[in-house]
Amino acid sequence: MESTIALIGFGEAGSTFAKAAGWESAALAFDINPARRAVMEEAGVVACATAECALSDADVVFSLVTADSALPAAQDYAALLKPGAIWCDMNSVAPDTKRAAAKAIEAEGGRYVDVAVLAPVNPARMNVPLLISGAHAVEAEALLQAAGFAKTRVVGDEIGRASAIKMIRSVMVKGIEALTAEMMLAATKAGVVDEVLSSLDASEKTQSWFERAEYNVERMTTHGLRRAAEMEESAKTLEALGVEPLMTNATVRRQREQAGKTIQFTPERTEVA
């Protein structure tokens, strides 16, 4: 790999990509949480104590922070980029948020690219589908492919187009999870879990609803806070389009309230813990 990679944020996505791709010393990483340095060292990347260390010589930057940190990261670190460096914003945020981040990066001589990650990074890892948009999307795609990403697609030269696809799609994906939790909470209290799930199985056979319900609720238990932040960005997306995000706002609340709470599934009885 010829390009030097900088990873801003080394949570689940950053660590998964680094380990799967085997970037090792070709990548430098920075995270505001000092505890992540141990994970960086385990992955073999260069663990940086400062953002400047990670960014000063980077040709391409993968911004993989939390949704509420995506814009501040671009604003805070834009001046640390070397001229012409490509900032791949891979965070799940609204198109307007990405356009604001693009202004910050480009004002300092960097090149901004909107990248949407369309599936959980585990277990897909380097096969996770990526949508790319912006004036530098074609060049960014080549860099992403050289870094090991196997499923990339340029969807236009407009910043915000890739994220619009992701955010609007998330209204359905995360909304189904939230509706599932609400359904299971009500079915549990009514003592009709088996009947409800069996009736759903009878109408849709692609996957057992016993499996789907457990999976959807587990996603919220584990990632509810992060997903709530992402869905707030989906609500912004709809508002910008003139669509009132009634269900999306409700999904934000349900995702946040379900975070950390489990629903214990058993064949005879379902209990909320």
Side-chain angles (χ1 to χ4, degrees):
M1 186 188 312
E2 297 180 358
S3 299
T4 299
I5 296 171
L7 295 160
I8 297 300
F10 207 75
E12 180 185 12
S15 59
T16 297
F17 294 150
K19 292 175 183 177
W23 292 325
E24 298 186 337
S25 61
L28 296 86
F30 171 74
D31 194 293
I32 59 172
N33 181 1
R36 299 304 297 174
R37 293 194 67 184
V39 184
M40 296 174 192
E41 292 168 359
E42 180 186 345
V45 301
V46 178
C48 291
T50 66
E52 184 176 9
C53 162
L55 294 170
S56 60
D57 292 321
D59 301 300
V60 58
V61 181
F62 300 151
S63 177
L64 294 160
V65 297
T66 57
D68 55 353
S69 297
L71 178 55
Q75 293 171 331
D76 292 346
Y77 304 144
L80 303 178
L81 296 173
K82 75 176 186 180
I86 291 184
W87 180 281
C88 290
D89 192 335
M90 304 174 77
N91 302 297
S92 297
V93 297
D96 283 348
T97 305
K98 290 207 170 181
R99 283 188 277 267
K103 288 182 180 179
I105 295 296
E106 292 169 0
E108 296 292 342
R111 294 183 290 168
Y112 183 96
V113 178
D114 176 7
V115 181
V117 182
L118 288 190
V121 298
N122 281 313
R125 297 189 291 181
M126 303 310 285
N127 287 315
V128 68
L130 302 179
L131 300 183
I132 311 163
S133 68
H136 309 289
V138 172
E139 185 172 349
E141 182 180 35
L143 291 170
L144 286 162
Q145 291 175 347
F149 290 97
K151 295 184 178 179
T152 64
R153 183 163 67 92
V154 173
V155 294
D157 58 8
E158 176 188 352
I159 297 295
R161 182 171 176 81
S163 57
I165 296 168
K166 161 77 173 180
M167 291 295 100
I168 295 170
R169 176 181 179 272
S170 290
V171 172
M172 174 61 74
V173 175
K174 275 70 172 184
I176 287 175
E177 293 174 358
L179 289 171
T180 301
E182 194 156 293
M183 174 191 73
M184 292 303 296
L185 290 168
T188 297
K189 289 187 175 181
V192 294
V193 170
D194 286 354
E195 288 291 342
V196 169
L197 297 181
S198 294
S199 69
L200 287 168
D201 272 345
S203 62
E204 186 175 352
K205 291 295 186 180
T206 56
Q207 181 188 24
S208 167
W209 264 93
F210 287 89
E211 297 173 358
R212 185 182 299 186
E214 186 171 6
Y215 175 82
N216 284 353
V217 172
E218 185 279 328
R219 294 287 84 193
M220 297 176 67
T221 299
T222 305
H223 302 294
L225 293 178
R226 176 172 61 79
R227 286 168 178 251
E230 179 179 333
M231 292 308 293
E232 286 176 333
E233 295 293 321
S234 288
K236 292 179 185 178
T237 304
L238 268 63
E239 288 173 344
L241 294 170
V243 178
E244 187 177 7
L246 294 174
M247 288 295 294
T248 306
N249 283 333
T251 295
V252 170
R253 180 177 175 183
R254 181 62 65 190
Q255 288 273 0
R256 184 169 286 122
E257 290 183 351
Q258 197 62 32
K261 298 178 182 179
T262 60
I263 298 177
Q264 302 296 330
F265 296 86
T266 63
E268 300 297 332
R269 183 182 179 188
T270 305
E271 297 180 345
V272 177

Coordinates of all heavy atoms in Angstrom, one line a residue, residues 183-243:
M183 N -43.2 -4.0 20.1 CA -44.1 -5.1 20.0 C -43.8 -6.2 21.0 O -44.7 -6.7 21.7 CB -43.9 -5.7 18.6 CG -44.7 -7.1 18.4 SD -44.2 -7.9 16.9 CE -42.6 -8.5 17.3
M184 N -42.5 -6.4 21.3 CA -42.1 -7.5 22.2 C -42.4 -7.1 23.7 O -42.8 -7.9 24.5 CB -40.7 -7.8 22.1 CG -40.3 -8.5 20.8 SD -41.3 -10.0 20.5 CE -40.7 -11.1 21.9
L185 N -42.3 -5.8 24.0 CA -42.6 -5.3 25.3 C -44.1 -5.5 25.6 O -44.5 -6.0 26.7 CB -42.2 -3.8 25.5 CG -40.7 -3.6 25.5 CD1 -40.5 -2.1 25.4 CD2 -40.1 -4.1 26.8
A186 N -44.9 -5.2 24.6 CA -46.4 -5.3 24.7 C -46.8 -6.8 24.8 O -47.6 -7.2 25.6 CB -47.1 -4.6 23.6
A187 N -46.2 -7.6 23.9 CA -46.6 -9.0 23.8 C -46.2 -9.7 25.1 O -46.9 -10.6 25.6 CB -45.9 -9.7 22.6
T188 N -45.0 -9.3 25.7 CA -44.6 -9.9 27.0 C -45.6 -9.6 28.1 O -46.0 -10.5 28.8 CB -43.2 -9.4 27.3 OG1 -42.3 -9.8 26.3 CG2 -42.7 -9.9 28.7
K189 N -46.0 -8.3 28.2 CA -46.9 -8.0 29.3 C -48.3 -8.6 29.1 O -48.9 -9.0 30.0 CB -47.1 -6.4 29.3 CG -45.8 -5.7 29.8 CD -46.0 -4.3 30.0 CE -44.8 -3.6 30.7 NZ -45.0 -2.1 30.9
A190 N -48.7 -8.8 27.8 CA -50.0 -9.5 27.5 C -49.9 -11.0 27.6 O -50.9 -11.7 27.6 CB -50.5 -9.0 26.2
G191 N -48.7 -11.6 27.7 CA -48.5 -13.0 27.7 C -48.8 -13.7 26.4 O -49.3 -14.8 26.4
V192 N -48.6 -13.0 25.3 CA -49.0 -13.6 24.0 C -47.8 -13.6 23.0 O -48.0 -13.6 21.8 CB -50.1 -12.8 23.3 CG1 -51.4 -12.9 24.2 CG2 -49.8 -11.3 23.2
V193 N -46.6 -13.7 23.5 CA -45.4 -13.7 22.7 C -45.4 -14.8 21.6 O -45.2 -14.5 20.4 CB -44.1 -13.8 23.5 CG1 -42.9 -14.0 22.6 CG2 -43.9 -12.6 24.4
D194 N -45.7 -16.0 22.0 CA -45.6 -17.1 21.1 C -46.7 -17.0 20.0 O -46.4 -17.2 18.8 CB -45.9 -18.5 21.8 CG -44.7 -18.9 22.6 OD1 -43.6 -18.2 22.5 OD2 -44.8 -19.9 23.3
E195 N -47.9 -16.5 20.4 CA -48.9 -16.3 19.4 C -48.6 -15.2 18.4 O -48.8 -15.3 17.2 CB -50.3 -16.0 20.1 CG -50.9 -17.2 20.8 CD -51.4 -18.3 19.9 OE1 -51.6 -18.0 18.7 OE2 -51.6 -19.4 20.3
V196 N -48.1 -14.1 18.9 CA -47.7 -13.0 18.0 C -46.6 -13.4 17.0 O -46.8 -13.1 15.8 CB -47.3 -11.8 18.9 CG1 -46.7 -10.7 18.0 CG2 -48.5 -11.2 19.6
L197 N -45.6 -14.0 17.6 CA -44.5 -14.4 16.7 C -44.9 -15.5 15.7 O -44.4 -15.5 14.5 CB -43.3 -14.8 17.5 CG -42.7 -13.7 18.4 CD1 -41.5 -14.2 19.2 CD2 -42.3 -12.5 17.6
S198 N -45.7 -16.4 16.1 CA -46.2 -17.5 15.2 C -47.0 -16.9 14.1 O -46.9 -17.3 13.0 CB -47.0 -18.5 16.0 OG -46.1 -19.2 16.9
S199 N -47.8 -15.9 14.4 CA -48.7 -15.3 13.4 C -47.8 -14.5 12.4 O -48.1 -14.5 11.2 CB -49.7 -14.4 14.0 OG -49.1 -13.2 14.6
L200 N -46.7 -13.9 12.9 CA -45.8 -13.3 11.9 C -45.1 -14.3 11.1 O -44.9 -14.0 9.9 CB -44.8 -12.4 12.7 CG -45.4 -11.1 13.3 CD1 -44.4 -10.5 14.3 CD2 -45.8 -10.1 12.2
D201 N -44.7 -15.4 11.7 CA -44.0 -16.4 10.9 C -44.9 -17.0 9.8 O -44.5 -17.3 8.7 CB -43.6 -17.6 11.8 CG -42.3 -17.4 12.4 OD1 -41.5 -16.6 11.9 OD2 -41.9 -18.1 13.4
A202 N -46.2 -17.0 10.1 CA -47.2 -17.6 9.1 C -47.3 -16.7 7.9 O -47.6 -17.1 6.8 CB -48.5 -17.8 9.8
S203 N -47.1 -15.4 8.1 CA -47.3 -14.4 7.1 C -46.0 -14.1 6.3 O -46.0 -13.6 5.2 CB -47.9 -13.1 7.6 OG -47.0 -12.5 8.5
E204 N -44.9 -14.4 6.9 CA -43.6 -14.1 6.3 C -42.6 -15.2 6.6 O -42.2 -15.3 7.8 CB -43.1 -12.7 6.7 CG -41.8 -12.3 6.0 CD -41.4 -10.9 6.4 OE1 -42.2 -10.2 7.1 OE2 -40.3 -10.4 5.9
K205 N -42.1 -15.9 5.7 CA -41.3 -17.1 5.9 C -39.8 -16.9 5.6 O -39.0 -17.8 5.7 CB -41.8 -18.3 5.1 CG -43.1 -18.8 5.6 CD -43.1 -19.4 7.0 CE -44.4 -20.1 7.4 NZ -44.3 -20.7 8.7
T206 N -39.4 -15.7 5.2 CA -38.0 -15.5 4.9 C -37.1 -15.7 6.1 O -35.9 -16.2 5.9 CB -37.7 -14.1 4.3 OG1 -38.2 -13.1 5.3 CG2 -38.5 -13.9 3.0
Q207 N -37.5 -15.4 7.3 CA -36.7 -15.6 8.5 C -37.7 -15.8 9.6 O -38.7 -15.0 9.7 CB -35.8 -14.5 8.8 CG -34.9 -14.7 10.0 CD -34.1 -13.4 10.4 OE1 -34.5 -12.3 10.0 NE2 -33.0 -13.6 11.1
S208 N -37.4 -16.7 10.5 CA -38.2 -16.8 11.7 C -38.2 -15.6 12.5 O -37.2 -15.0 12.8 CB -37.7 -18.0 12.6 OG -38.3 -18.0 13.8
W209 N -39.4 -15.1 12.9 CA -39.5 -13.9 13.7 C -39.0 -14.2 15.1 O -38.6 -13.2 15.8 CB -41.0 -13.4 13.8 CG -41.2 -12.3 12.7 CD1 -41.6 -12.5 11.5 CD2 -40.8 -10.9 12.9 NE1 -41.6 -11.3 10.8 CE2 -41.2 -10.3 11.7 CE3 -40.4 -10.2 14.0 CZ2 -41.0 -8.9 11.5 CZ3 -40.2 -8.8 13.8 CH2 -40.5 -8.2 12.6
F210 N -38.9 -15.4 15.6 CA -38.2 -15.7 16.8 C -36.8 -15.3 16.8 O -36.2 -14.7 17.7 CB -38.3 -17.2 17.2 CG -39.7 -17.6 17.6 CD1 -40.6 -18.1 16.7 CD2 -40.0 -17.6 18.9 CE1 -41.9 -18.5 17.0 CE2 -41.3 -18.0 19.3 CZ -42.2 -18.4 18.4
E211 N -36.1 -15.5 15.6 CA -34.7 -15.1 15.4 C -34.6 -13.6 15.2 O -33.8 -12.9 15.7 CB -34.1 -15.9 14.2 CG -34.1 -17.4 14.4 CD -33.6 -18.1 13.2 OE1 -33.4 -17.4 12.2 OE2 -33.5 -19.4 13.2
R212 N -35.6 -13.1 14.4 CA -35.5 -11.7 14.0 C -35.7 -10.8 15.2 O -35.0 -9.8 15.4 CB -36.5 -11.4 12.9 CG -36.4 -10.0 12.4 CD -37.5 -9.7 11.3 NE -37.3 -10.5 10.2 CZ -38.1 -10.4 9.0 NH1 -39.0 -9.4 9.0 NH2 -37.9 -11.2 8.0
A213 N -36.7 -11.2 16.0 CA -37.0 -10.3 17.2 C -35.9 -10.3 18.2 O -35.5 -9.2 18.7 CB -38.3 -10.9 17.9
E214 N -35.3 -11.4 18.4 CA -34.1 -11.5 19.3 C -33.0 -10.7 18.8 O -32.3 -9.9 19.5 CB -33.7 -12.9 19.6 CG -32.6 -13.1 20.6 CD -32.4 -14.5 21.0 OE1 -32.9 -15.4 20.4 OE2 -31.6 -14.7 21.9
Y215 N -32.7 -10.8 17.5 CA -31.6 -10.1 16.9 C -31.8 -8.5 16.9 O -31.0 -7.8 17.3 CB -31.4 -10.5 15.4 CG -30.4 -9.7 14.7 CD1 -29.0 -10.0 14.8 CD2 -30.8 -8.6 13.8 CE1 -28.1 -9.3 14.1 CE2 -29.8 -7.9 13.2 CZ -28.5 -8.2 13.3 OH -27.5 -7.5 12.6
N216 N -33.0 -8.1 16.5 CA -33.3 -6.7 16.5 C -33.2 -6.0 17.9 O -32.7 -5.0 18.1 CB -34.7 -6.4 16.0 CG -34.8 -6.6 14.5 OD1 -33.8 -6.8 13.8 ND2 -36.0 -6.6 13.9
V217 N -33.7 -6.7 18.9 CA -33.7 -6.2 20.2 C -32.3 -6.2 20.8 O -31.8 -5.2 21.4 CB -34.6 -7.0 21.2 CG1 -34.4 -6.5 22.6 CG2 -36.1 -6.8 20.8
E218 N -31.5 -7.2 20.4 CA -30.1 -7.2 20.9 C -29.3 -6.1 20.3 O -28.4 -5.5 20.9 CB -29.4 -8.6 20.4 CG -28.0 -8.8 21.0 CD -27.0 -8.0 20.1 OE1 -27.1 -7.9 18.9 OE2 -25.9 -7.6 20.7
R219 N -29.6 -5.7 19.0 CA -28.9 -4.6 18.4 C -29.1 -3.3 19.2 O -28.2 -2.5 19.3 CB -29.4 -4.4 16.9 CG -29.1 -5.5 16.0 CD -27.6 -5.5 15.6 NE -26.8 -6.3 16.6 CZ -25.5 -6.2 16.6 NH1 -24.8 -5.5 15.8 NH2 -24.8 -6.9 17.5
M220 N -30.4 -3.1 19.7 CA -30.7 -1.9 20.4 C -30.1 -2.0 21.8 O -29.6 -1.0 22.3 CB -32.2 -1.8 20.5 CG -32.9 -1.6 19.2 SD -34.7 -1.5 19.3 CE -34.9 0.0 20.2
T221 N -30.1 -3.1 22.4 CA -29.5 -3.3 23.8 C -28.0 -2.9 23.7 O -27.5 -2.2 24.6 CB -29.6 -4.7 24.3 OG1 -31.0 -5.0 24.4 CG2 -29.0 -4.9 25.6
T222 N -27.3 -3.4 22.7 CA -25.9 -3.2 22.6 C -25.5 -1.8 22.0 O -24.6 -1.2 22.5 CB -25.3 -4.3 21.7 OG1 -25.6 -5.5 22.2 CG2 -23.7 -4.1 21.6
H223 N -26.3 -1.3 21.0 CA -25.9 -0.1 20.3 C -27.0 1.0 20.3 O -26.9 1.9 19.5 CB -25.6 -0.5 18.8 CG -24.5 -1.5 18.7 ND1 -23.2 -1.3 19.0 CD2 -24.6 -2.8 18.2 CE1 -22.5 -2.4 18.8 NE2 -23.3 -3.3 18.3
G224 N -27.9 0.9 21.3 CA -29.0 1.8 21.3 C -28.6 3.3 21.3 O -29.2 4.1 20.6
L225 N -27.7 3.6 22.2 CA -27.3 5.0 22.3 C -26.7 5.6 21.0 O -27.0 6.7 20.5 CB -26.3 5.2 23.4 CG -26.9 5.0 24.8 CD1 -25.8 5.1 25.9 CD2 -28.1 5.9 25.1
R226 N -25.8 4.7 20.4 CA -25.1 5.2 19.1 C -26.2 5.3 18.0 O -26.2 6.2 17.2 CB -24.1 4.2 18.7 CG -23.4 4.4 17.4 CD -22.2 3.5 17.2 NE -22.6 2.1 17.1 CZ -23.1 1.5 16.1 NH1 -23.4 2.2 15.0 NH2 -23.4 0.2 16.1
R227 N -27.1 4.3 18.0 CA -28.1 4.3 16.9 C -29.1 5.5 17.1 O -29.6 6.0 16.2 CB -28.9 3.0 16.9 CG -28.0 1.8 16.3 CD -28.6 0.5 16.6 NE -27.8 -0.5 15.9 CZ -28.1 -1.2 14.8 NH1 -29.3 -1.0 14.3 NH2 -27.3 -2.1 14.3
A228 N -29.4 5.8 18.4 CA -30.3 7.0 18.6 C -29.7 8.2 18.1 O -30.3 9.1 17.4 CB -30.5 7.1 20.1
A229 N -28.3 8.4 18.3 CA -27.6 9.6 17.7 C -27.7 9.6 16.2 O -27.9 10.6 15.6 CB -26.2 9.6 18.2
E230 N -27.6 8.4 15.6 CA -27.6 8.3 14.2 C -29.0 8.6 13.7 O -29.2 9.4 12.7 CB -27.2 6.9 13.7 CG -27.3 6.7 12.2 CD -26.9 5.3 11.7 OE1 -26.1 4.7 12.4 OE2 -27.4 4.9 10.7
M231 N -30.1 8.2 14.4 CA -31.4 8.4 13.9 C -31.8 9.9 14.1 O -32.7 10.4 13.4 CB -32.4 7.5 14.7 CG -32.3 6.1 14.3 SD -32.4 5.8 12.5 CE -34.1 6.2 12.2
E232 N -31.2 10.6 15.1 CA -31.4 12.0 15.1 C -30.9 12.7 13.8 O -31.5 13.7 13.4 CB -30.6 12.6 16.3 CG -31.3 12.3 17.7 CD -30.5 12.7 18.9 OE1 -29.3 12.9 18.7 OE2 -31.1 13.0 19.9
E233 N -29.8 12.2 13.3 CA -29.3 12.7 12.0 C -30.3 12.3 10.8 O -30.5 13.1 9.9 CB -28.0 12.1 11.7 CG -26.9 12.6 12.7 CD -26.6 14.1 12.6 OE1 -26.6 14.6 11.4 OE2 -26.4 14.7 13.6
S234 N -30.9 11.1 10.9 CA -32.0 10.8 10.0 C -33.1 11.7 10.0 O -33.7 12.1 9.0 CB -32.5 9.3 10.2 OG -31.5 8.4 9.8
A235 N -33.5 12.1 11.3 CA -34.6 13.1 11.4 C -34.3 14.4 10.8 O -35.1 15.0 10.1 CB -34.9 13.3 12.9
K236 N -33.0 14.8 10.9 CA -32.6 16.1 10.3 C -32.7 15.9 8.7 O -33.0 16.9 8.0 CB -31.1 16.4 10.7 CG -30.9 16.8 12.1 CD -29.4 17.1 12.3 CE -29.1 17.3 13.8 NZ -27.7 17.6 14.0
T237 N -32.3 14.8 8.2 CA -32.4 14.5 6.8 C -33.8 14.7 6.3 O -34.0 15.4 5.3 CB -31.9 13.1 6.5 OG1 -30.6 12.9 7.0 CG2 -31.9 12.8 5.0
L238 N -34.8 14.1 7.0 CA -36.2 14.2 6.6 C -36.7 15.6 6.7 O -37.4 16.1 5.8 CB -37.0 13.3 7.4 CG -37.3 11.9 6.8 CD1 -35.9 11.1 6.7 CD2 -38.2 11.1 7.6
E239 N -36.3 16.3 7.8 CA -36.7 17.7 7.9 C -36.2 18.6 6.8 O -36.9 19.5 6.3 CB -36.2 18.2 9.3 CG -37.0 17.7 10.5 CD -36.4 18.1 11.8 OE1 -35.2 18.5 11.8 OE2 -37.0 17.9 12.8
A240 N -35.0 18.3 6.4 CA -34.4 19.1 5.3 C -35.1 18.9 4.0 O -35.1 19.7 3.1 CB -32.9 18.8 5.1
L241 N -35.8 17.7 3.9 CA -36.6 17.3 2.7 C -38.0 17.8 2.8 O -38.8 17.6 1.9 CB -36.5 15.8 2.4 CG -35.1 15.3 2.1 CD1 -35.2 13.7 2.1 CD2 -34.7 15.8 0.7
G242 N -38.4 18.4 3.9 CA -39.8 18.8 4.1 C -40.7 17.7 4.6 O -41.9 17.8 4.5
V243 N -40.1 16.6 5.1 CA -40.9 15.5 5.6 C -40.8 15.5 7.1 O -39.7 15.4 7.7 CB -40.3 14.2 5.1 CG1 -41.1 13.0 5.6 CG2 -40.4 14.1 3.5

